[in-house]
Amino acid sequence: MTTNQLLKPITETNINGKIHIGGCNTIELAKRYGTPLYVIDEDTIRSVCKDYKNAFKRYPHTKMMYASKALCTSAISKILDSEGFGFDVVSIGEIYTVVKSGIPLTHVLFNGNNKTEEELDYAIKNGIGRISVDNFAEVDLISKIGGKYNKNIDVLLRITPGIECHTHEYIKTGQLDSKFGFDLSQIDDAITKIITEHQNIRIRGLHAHIGSQIFEPKCFHDEIEVLIKEISRIEEKFGIVLDEINIGGGLGVKYTESDLPPSIDEVADVIISSLEHHIDKYKTNPPTLYIEPGRSIISTAGVTLYTIGSMKQVPNMTKYITVDGGMADNPRPSMYQAEYVAEIANDTTGRENEKVTIAGRFCESGDILIKDITLPKAETGDILCVYNTGAYNYSMASNYNKVEKSAMVLVKDGKSDIIVNRETLEDLISHDVIPDRLK
Ligand code: LLP
């Protein structure tokens, strides 16, 4: 069993009917910091990191890069850095967060299918470790900026390996018709262009990412075969040795009881066995293996606390319970039909169970957080704890309906620290400008 297979943070306990996380009483957290509140359990993050490190020990050329897009804040970056992880980033904002946390950019890999000149300039000027080149236009841009700073740039070529894996349509990325990366048939042209026109670009390896919330380890086996086969073919055709492969992220987590993600050990086993097998088959040197997990690092560590407000029983139909957050702090149910598990965090001793639907507060009928969940009869003022909200919740949050983004606290050993302040009303209008003629 590894941490990604748990539904709740590893420190979650129930003391006198009240949910505690990281040794902190969630009811007191809600009182002290207000709701909605993202709560992140540091021990759970460190436990997953340990799982990854143990699982990949057998292949010592492994480099773990945390995919910051899952949750990018300065404190979270510090934790991952202290665990020896590098960072996979996709924007200047993510790069800036990492840099401002005091982490060297050499530990960072810059991904993305439309990096702007400003972003590439900032990355190259500050000594980014790797850039994953996504398309032909980017090759010219990177070379031009490299020339400006008189730097050689180490790149991986992002390719679409043509692997279909079973996950939601919107979070698949490795299938043939994808907006990301070079098609397999374009790799040779990309390499030819780089080696003939751009001597300041050094191709170090290949990069792919096949999707997210993946439950079938076999997808990684197939992906690695494509990558190793290509590396061997490229060496033979161009005489250049690519000694790095990046297989992306994607390992799934357990959002509901029926989700049964494989353990990190099982996936690592498939990945390493596939590597060994294909290195042997295609006669290549063992490459450095980059992995870029995001969700599986941070999802289980996070919960969101909400206060239950209004309730509505539609005669003979659904009973709605409304919380003080919803699609602006967690857009996943409305975007991907994602399912979550929740519990009432305060003492509900003696209350009967009932089936309800948890609605968000935003002006959108689709703003339903959880459909049909059985909970003890809720009362206004109860605190609802929704599990597994560490990944792709805060990072995808919006100010829809002009609502302030929620605060985030990090809990450990009975202590809680704010790591993201709640937005204020002033924050909400701080970028607004009234032209003189309207004053
Ligand atoms: N590497 C690359 C190149 C990626 O595109 C991604 C995710 C990752 C790594 C990390 O994948 P993970 O380990 O987190 O599955 N917003 C969606 C997920 C989008 C994932 C995008 N790319 C969601 O909420 O499900």
Side-chain angles (χ1 to χ4, degrees):
M1 179 72 88
T2 51
T3 317
N4 67 310
Q5 296 176 299
L6 304 173
L7 197 58
K8 301 177 179 178
I10 61 169
T11 60
E12 195 264 359
T13 50
N14 190 308
I15 304 175
N16 299 329
K18 300 184 187 80
I19 296 175
H20 286 58
I21 292 169
C24 297
N25 180 339
T26 54
I27 308 310
E28 282 166 18
L29 292 176
K31 226 182 262 160
R32 179 163 170 201
Y33 300 105
T35 56
L37 180 67
Y38 298 108
V39 180
I40 307 284
D41 180 40
E42 185 172 335
D43 286 352
T44 303
I45 306 177
R46 295 197 187 273
S47 163
V48 190
C49 292
K50 199 180 298 145
D51 289 340
Y52 267 104
K53 286 186 269 190
N54 283 339
F56 282 91
K57 246 191 210 135
R58 215 180 96 207
Y59 193 74
H61 321 279
T62 307
K63 288 201 173 159
M64 325 256 176
M65 313 292 275
Y66 168 61
S68 318
K69 60 181 81 69
L71 175 61
C72 181
T73 82
S74 307
I76 298 297
S77 305
K78 280 287 199 198
I79 295 175
L80 271 302
D81 179 55
S82 74
E83 290 291 335
F85 277 60
F87 295 83
D88 149 33
V89 299
V90 287
S91 70
I92 194 169
E94 289 185 359
I95 297 178
Y96 192 72
T97 308
V98 170
V99 170
K100 286 286 167 182
S101 309
I103 299 162
L105 260 195
T106 43
H107 298 186
V108 178
L109 176 118
F110 189 14
N111 264 310
N113 66 319
N114 191 20
K115 307 172 192 80
T116 65
E117 182 158 357
E118 181 205 1
E119 290 179 311
L120 286 167
D121 193 290
Y122 183 82
I124 291 169
K125 182 170 70 188
N126 289 289
I128 192 98
R130 295 280 181 280
I131 297 176
S132 180
V133 182
D134 204 272
N135 51 66
F136 290 104
E138 202 176 278
V139 170
D140 295 326
L141 197 51
I142 290 173
S143 173
K144 182 179 110 184
I145 300 168
K148 176 172 158 194
Y149 294 111
N150 200 17
K151 287 192 177 190
N152 290 327
I153 299 128
D154 289 313
V155 305
L156 305 180
L157 293 185
R158 171 80 183 256
I159 64 161
T160 37
I163 309 288
E164 289 275 348
C165 59
H166 184 79
T167 185
H168 193 285
E169 192 63 36
Y170 291 178
I171 50 182
K172 266 190 206 172
T173 38
Q175 74 277 19
L176 278 178
D177 188 2
S178 160
K179 71 169 186 172
F180 295 102
F182 293 100
D183 186 80
L184 290 179
S185 64
Q186 297 171 318
I187 296 179
D188 289 3
D189 287 346
I191 294 179
T192 306
K193 182 175 175 62
I194 292 173
I195 57 184
T196 55
E197 297 170 32
H198 301 298
Q199 270 81 27
N200 61 352
I201 298 184
R202 291 191 297 229
I203 313 170
R204 303 297 302 266
L206 299 181
H207 177 205
H209 169 78
I210 50 177
S212 200
Q213 186 60 354
I214 293 171
F215 281 14
E216 297 168 65
K218 169 124 192 348
C219 302
F220 295 108
H221 170 97
D222 297 348
E223 179 191 12
I224 286 168
E225 164 147 37
V226 174
L227 290 170
I228 299 286
K229 194 170 156 187
E230 282 303 309
I231 277 184
S232 151
R233 191 188 61 76
I234 290 165
E235 183 172 350
E236 205 171 303
K237 176 161 179 190
F238 294 95
I240 51 175
V241 178
L242 304 186
D243 53 9
E244 298 182 359
I245 63 166
N246 181 334
I247 61 168
L251 173 58
V253 299
K254 186 176 179 72
Y255 286 107
T256 64
E257 282 301 340
S258 59
D259 282 341
L260 299 172
S263 72
I264 295 170
D265 292 332
E266 270 173 87
V267 174
D269 218 49
V270 169
I271 290 173
I272 298 168
S273 304
S274 172
L275 259 175
E276 289 169 346
H277 175 77
H278 292 111
I279 286 168
D280 192 51
K281 179 168 172 192
Y282 295 103
K283 310 266 175 289
T284 64
N285 293 326
T288 297
L289 169 71
Y290 286 94
I291 54 169
E292 297 171 333
R295 186 193 315 268
S296 54
I297 297 284
I298 201 71
S299 178
T300 321
V303 305
T304 307
L305 303 178
Y306 299 98
T307 302
I308 293 176
S310 66
M311 295 181 212
K312 170 183 177 177
Q313 172 72 64
V314 183
N316 304 319
M317 295 176 90
T318 306
K319 176 162 181 184
Y320 289 96
I321 288 187
T322 308
V323 293
D324 53 355
M327 66 186 296
D329 56 82
N330 181 1
R332 300 194 70 258
S334 44
M335 275 183 89
Y336 315 117
Q337 301 89 42
E339 291 181 24
Y340 285 87
V341 164
E343 286 175 6
I344 295 180
N346 46 279
D347 191 4
T348 53
T349 313
R351 300 192 202 169
E352 277 175 24
N353 282 344
E354 62 178 355
K355 193 158 100 179
V356 295
T357 284
I358 312 285
R361 59 161 294 180
F362 296 92
C363 292
E364 191 97 35
S365 314
D367 181 24
I368 300 292
L369 276 182
I370 306 177
K371 229 173 155 344
D372 295 338
I373 176 172
T374 302
L375 287 177
K377 217 166 187 332
E379 293 170 8
T380 299
D382 281 343
I383 300 298
L384 189 79
C385 174
V386 178
Y387 291 100
N388 246 299
T389 58
Y392 303 114
N393 273 229
Y394 175 72
S395 67
M396 293 173 72
S398 75
N399 289 115
Y400 185 47
N401 290 174
K402 208 81 171 170
V403 171
E404 310 94 302
K405 281 194 196 143
S406 304
M408 189 179 298
V409 292
L410 183 70
V411 291
K412 182 173 171 54
D413 300 334
K415 292 207 186 75
S416 60
D417 292 293
I418 274 280
I419 57 169
V420 179
N421 282 313
R422 186 175 301 283
E423 283 184 348
T424 61
L425 291 176
E426 205 41 52
D427 289 332
L428 288 178
I429 55 160
S430 63
H431 295 280
D432 289 9
V433 178
I434 302 176
D436 282 344
R437 67 187 171 78
L438 296 180
K439 281 181 183 160

